[in-house]
Amino acid sequence: MAEDRERTSYDPSYDPGGEVVELCRDLIRIDTSNYGDDSGPGERKAAEHVAALLDEVGIGSELFESEPGRTSLIAQWGGAGSGPGSDRGALLVHGHLDVVPAAAEDWQVHPFSGEIRDGYLWGRGAVDMKDFDAMLLSVVRARTRAGAVPERPVVLCFTADEEAGGHRGAQVLVDDHADHLAHCTEAIGEVGGFSTSIRGQRLYLIEAAEKGMAWMRLTARGRAGHGSMINDENAVSRLAEAVARIGTYEWPVRLTPAMETLLAAVGEIAGTAANPENAEALVEEFGGAARMMGAVIRNTANPTMLQAGYKVNVIPTEATAHVDGRFLPGYEDEFFDTVAELCGEGIERSYLSHQQPWETPYDGDLVDAMTRCLLAEDPEGRVAPFLMSGGTDAKHFRKLGLRSYGFTPLRLPPDLDFTALFHGVDERVPVDALTFGARVLDRFLDEI
């Protein structure tokens, strides 16, 4: 692809990021709020919009609807001079179309307006993850028009339901439509390639691992009765004690390979050798991002919902709580054994979602390509892997045996609390970060 890079770089009409801002604005304006049930608008309108954008440049796509309105898209692209049977296999590039809900009254701008203000594009999905969807579409459309189609086959995938665990999106594609993905051997997706600032040094983080997910429902049962009487089988008390133990438990530090590599890089910048004893101090170097980084050097379990009773003077038979549990690769047994001990007797556990963690070795041609492309656009930066505290569709696609990474390249200002914008109020992305990401992604497609 060196010929294409040379040709397109001298073609004044070729701009991989030329459409990225408007594409992102248009996607944000399509409300795809995912409430975790059947009450949202679904992703159909957004998937049809993406299909039309691809069709404009001659790329056919196929829509997959797991339930009415819950729509994912797959398109086959590239493969000039090779095909699905090539030894390298195809690269899966995936992004999700749904977003978490947003209450307009809490925002400075309407969350689905796609407003540009102060150099930022505002709106729900601006960082999670319609920014990457727009980068990918802008680059693919520009390259296709310029005849710069990658020699390696690429599968473009836009999914439904990622924000509720991917069960109606990526999981359905893997379980029921794997033939469209069978030729893929590697994948890139969200949450990685963004910059953070450590003592004035820009450090780009590539996701190479994710914690496992255990969304748990805890149930306590007891003896119903009048609220004025003594009751030593109170379900509410029993559940509250378990929830308090879980919520206040201090999980020990555990370093996985990705985090050992990242903290070694941070330690080098900070002038100290990284080790488990100073891991928490090194995490503090991330500033606002320490909330996320502190969660990936240990297992976590956060109570999030409580429900019991129907009248103040009635002791109920049953009380329930929900806990968002996340566990590190290699520490699954420790997590579940500890949760069981903290729950104690008389607490039943069931799972709303139970997904395994993953970790991909931080090496190989794809990692080298991501690193080179970031540093080509920002020679003063550094690149390192990290472990993601949340979950992405990679959990499902990994079941196909793919080497997976999070790579949504963004060069961010050092004073932006970026990780707080995920699912946060006033979600926004710098306009110049979108064009930076498109340029990096364009270079990356030359390298794959």
Side-chain angles (χ1 to χ4, degrees):
M1 292 299 295
E3 303 88 346
D4 289 329
R5 164 62 62 184
E6 183 178 355
R7 173 170 52 77
T8 55
S9 63
Y10 289 99
D11 181 355
S13 67
Y14 180 80
D15 181 3
E19 296 183 295
V20 66
V21 175
E22 287 306 313
L23 289 173
C24 194
R25 296 183 78 184
D26 289 343
L27 286 169
I28 288 171
R29 289 166 178 160
I30 302 173
D31 183 357
T32 53
S33 298
N34 187 346
Y35 293 88
D37 53 25
D38 297 322
S39 62
E43 302 85 3
R44 179 92 193 183
K45 185 176 179 181
E48 290 176 343
H49 177 70
V50 171
L53 290 170
L54 294 174
D55 185 64
E56 280 183 7
V57 293
I59 300 173
S61 59
E62 189 169 350
L63 301 183
F64 301 88
E65 194 168 72
S66 58
E67 297 176 12
R70 309 313 304 272
T71 311
S72 300
L73 177 151
I74 291 178
Q76 307 290 337
W77 183 61
S82 60
S86 66
D87 292 339
R88 294 192 64 200
L91 175 70
L92 172 66
V93 186
H94 59 94
H96 62 84
L97 296 171
D98 62 322
V99 297
V100 295
E105 62 270 19
D106 296 334
W107 287 55
Q108 296 182 49
V109 305
H110 194 283
F112 298 105
S113 66
E115 183 173 330
I116 295 177
R117 179 192 292 187
D118 302 326
Y120 285 81
L121 172 55
W122 298 60
R124 179 58 87 213
V127 300
D128 188 13
M129 64 167 300
K130 291 179 176 179
D131 56 345
F132 181 73
D133 295 338
M135 287 181 218
L136 180 59
L137 288 167
S138 182
V139 172
V140 167
R141 281 162 59 88
R143 293 182 73 96
T144 303
R145 286 175 173 142
V149 177
E151 293 182 0
R152 183 178 185 180
V154 177
V155 176
L156 310 174
C157 185
F158 298 83
T159 61
D161 198 41
E162 189 276 343
E163 296 293 3
H167 304 295
R168 300 173 182 180
Q171 180 175 324
V172 173
L173 296 179
V174 169
D175 290 348
D176 300 338
H177 306 287
D179 54 315
H180 290 76
L181 307 168
H183 55 302
C184 298
T185 56
E186 297 174 306
I188 63 167
E190 66 174 322
V191 197
F194 62 91
S195 71
T196 187
S197 183
I198 305 293
R199 302 195 181 193
Q201 169 74 60
R202 274 189 303 277
L203 182 62
Y204 291 88
L205 306 181
I206 294 176
E207 182 192 16
E210 283 182 13
K211 297 178 83 173
M213 179 189 297
W215 287 351
M216 296 174 284
R217 175 187 171 99
L218 309 183
T219 303
R221 294 183 174 85
R223 186 178 72 249
H226 199 289
S228 68
M229 300 181 185
I230 293 173
N231 188 322
D232 58 1
E233 295 182 39
N234 189 315
V236 176
S237 299
R238 182 177 296 160
L239 180 73
E241 290 170 354
V243 167
R245 287 192 295 269
I246 292 171
T248 58
Y249 181 72
E250 295 186 12
W251 294 86
V253 170
R254 300 285 187 254
L255 297 185
T256 59
M259 291 307 295
E260 286 179 342
T261 302
L262 174 58
L263 293 183
V266 175
E268 186 176 339
I269 296 171
T272 185
N275 56 63
E277 287 69 36
N278 67 1
E280 291 181 294
L282 291 175
V283 162
E284 291 302 316
E285 296 282 350
F286 287 94
R291 290 187 301 272
M292 181 176 73
M293 292 303 173
V296 295
I297 58 172
R298 52 171 57 83
N299 293 325
T300 57
N302 285 309
T304 56
M305 298 169 63
L306 290 168
Q307 185 174 6
Y310 54 89
K311 198 170 185 291
V312 67
N313 64 343
V314 178
I315 299 171
T317 302
E318 183 176 290
T320 62
H322 289 82
V323 176
D324 186 341
R326 311 282 176 143
F327 47 98
L328 297 166
Y331 295 94
E332 297 93 327
D333 291 344
E334 179 183 69
F335 174 82
F336 288 106
D337 289 347
T338 302
V339 167
E341 183 178 345
L342 294 171
C343 283
E345 296 294 328
I347 303 293
E348 298 176 9
R349 280 181 293 149
S350 59
Y351 297 96
L352 283 75
S353 184
H354 184 182
Q355 300 183 37
Q356 293 303 309
W358 61 266
E359 184 150 17
T360 301
Y362 187 67
D363 57 24
D365 293 341
L366 210 63
V367 169
D368 292 343
M370 290 186 283
T371 301
R372 283 194 301 270
C373 296
L374 283 167
L375 297 184
E377 292 293 334
D378 185 3
E380 297 180 357
R382 298 183 60 166
V383 184
F386 84 110
L387 189 155
M388 174 63 179
S389 62
T392 74
D393 281 334
K395 280 188 171 61
H396 297 294
F397 293 126
R398 286 270 303 180
K399 298 172 188 173
L400 300 174
L402 310 185
R403 288 173 60 95
S404 297
Y405 299 95
F407 186 59
T408 302
L410 296 168
R411 177 171 169 170
L412 302 169
D415 59 345
L416 179 65
D417 191 356
F418 181 65
T419 58
L421 299 177
F422 285 84
H423 298 190
V425 172
D426 293 334
E427 184 178 350
R428 60 198 183 277
V429 64
V431 170
D432 59 5
L434 289 173
T435 55
F436 171 89
R439 293 195 306 271
V440 173
L441 191 58
D442 182 52
R443 287 182 178 275
F444 175 74
L445 290 174
D446 279 336
E447 296 266 356
I448 62 171

